[in-house]
Amino acid sequence: MMFRKTLLSTSLFVLSINTIAQIPNGNFESWKQVGNYMDPDGWVTTNSFVPVGNTFPVSRSADHSPNSSGAYSLKIQSDKSVGAYGITMTTTGDIMEGPKPTFVIQGHPGTFRFSYKYLPKANDSLYVAVLLYKNGQIVSGTEYRSGAIQQTWKDVLLDLDTYSSADSGAVILSAYQGDGPPPGNAPKGNSVMYVDDIAFGNFSSVSEKQALGIEFYPNPVHNELRITSKDVVNKVFVYDLNRSEE
């Protein structure tokens, strides 16, 4: 694969390929029917707490990120009148017990990215967090909060806290923040959030790129960047030092 673009040697590019798509169903293309509602595969939701006949807080939406190769996104919405909390996470067991190590971490990811839209109500703030674990203990992570209206898709790229190694991870997505991290609080209003294209990136060490079958050259890049991989490269994201996509 050849990527034609003038790059600075200090630019960061993130590959979205099968081997590094470790977050389960991070583009929300796979869903399962559970009674009267659908849940995204690999995620636990609050849909089961809502009485039949009401709007379920987590659903599939055809309004997806323009950068996504899929057809759907995740829609999260709260409805205080029926106790519907707009939250989902990768976990095991009861969602109200909070996140737990869920999916396997391969290599050493340095960044976490996602795309979102947000329509807050009553001064709510969205909450997105990723946690990395080693032997059941949290070793790294990052989080993102915003109470601003975001009517168009916005891409977010976050650095993970420095860590030595991790073996598992968990992700929390919530349309509300309240007085502390979900799920230990209640939404202030009936806010709506769309999320798509969740992925790790910046597998920067030579050993990790070799293990994942990735090669790129030359470095520095002037006019052409060539990328080879043992798996299909779905997308390439290029960022400058300010984390702005080029």
Side-chain angles (χ1 to χ4, degrees), residues 147-165:
I149 297 173
Q150 184 64 44
Q151 295 182 329
T152 59
W153 285 97
K154 179 178 180 178
D155 295 330
V156 177
L157 180 68
L158 303 174
D159 290 319
L160 293 170
D161 294 335
T162 302
Y163 66 103
S164 297
S165 63

Side-chain angles (χ1 to χ4, degrees), residues 56-71:
F56 292 103
V58 178
S59 61
R60 185 177 69 179
S61 174
D63 183 356
H64 62 86
S65 167
N67 293 327
S68 174
S69 58

Side-chain angles (χ1 to χ4, degrees), residues 95-136:
I95 190 171
M96 302 310 291
E97 295 178 356
K100 298 178 182 178
T102 309
F103 54 87
V104 175
I105 297 292
Q106 297 176 341
H108 194 281
T111 58
F112 172 72
R113 79 174 304 273
F114 63 95
S115 301
Y116 80 93
K117 299 200 309 182
Y118 190 48
L119 303 174
K121 300 291 184 181
N123 294 317
D124 256 340
S125 295
L126 66 84
Y127 180 80
V128 176
V130 59
L131 299 171
L132 302 188
Y133 300 83
K134 180 72 172 182
N135 298 324

Side-chain angles (χ1 to χ4, degrees), residues 1-215:
M1 174 183 181
M2 182 174 63
F3 180 63
R4 290 183 175 272
K5 188 175 181 73
T6 302
L7 303 176
L8 297 176
S9 60
T10 52
S11 293
L12 169 69
F13 66 92
V14 179
L15 305 182
S16 176
I17 65 176
N18 294 336
T19 45
I20 64 174
Q22 300 177 45
I23 299 172
N25 196 21
N27 58 0
F28 302 106
E29 293 301 301
S30 180
W31 292 74
K32 59 186 177 184
Q33 192 71 40
V34 184
N36 295 307
Y37 59 87
M38 296 180 70
D39 273 347
D41 283 333
W43 296 77
V44 178
T45 76
T46 50
N47 284 341
S48 62
F49 301 125
V50 178
V52 175
N54 294 281
T55 300
F56 292 103
V58 178
S59 61
R60 185 177 69 179
S61 174
D63 183 356
H64 62 86
S65 167
N67 293 327
S68 174
S69 58
Y72 303 109
S73 70
L74 179 79
K75 181 180 180 181
I76 310 174
Q77 57 187 345
S78 298
D79 186 346
K80 295 187 66 178
S81 66
V82 295
Y85 289 11
I87 179 174
T88 182
M89 67 180 68
T90 60
T91 188
T92 56
D94 191 338
I95 190 171
M96 302 310 291
E97 295 178 356
K100 298 178 182 178
T102 309
F103 54 87
V104 175
I105 297 292
Q106 297 176 341
H108 194 281
T111 58
F112 172 72
R113 79 174 304 273
F114 63 95
S115 301
Y116 80 93
K117 299 200 309 182
Y118 190 48
L119 303 174
K121 300 291 184 181
N123 294 317
D124 256 340
S125 295
L126 66 84
Y127 180 80
V128 176
V130 59
L131 299 171
L132 302 188
Y133 300 83
K134 180 72 172 182
N135 298 324
Q137 301 297 313
I138 297 175
V139 296
S140 181
T142 189
E143 58 184 23
Y144 180 84
R145 299 179 176 90
S146 177
I149 297 173
Q150 184 64 44
Q151 295 182 329
T152 59
W153 285 97
K154 179 178 180 178
D155 295 330
V156 177
L157 180 68
L158 303 174
D159 290 319
L160 293 170
D161 294 335
T162 302
Y163 66 103
S164 297
S165 63
D167 55 25
S168 55
V171 177
I172 308 169
L173 307 173
S174 178
Y176 68 94
Q177 172 64 28
D179 298 323
N185 55 69
K188 297 177 180 178
N190 297 338
S191 302
V192 181
M193 176 184 182
Y194 298 82
V195 186
D196 203 0
D197 266 358
I198 299 176
F200 289 129
N202 196 19
F203 293 79
S204 56
S205 76
V206 173
S207 60
E208 287 159 12
K209 290 195 287 285
Q210 290 175 343
L212 295 171
I214 302 169
E215 294 183 2

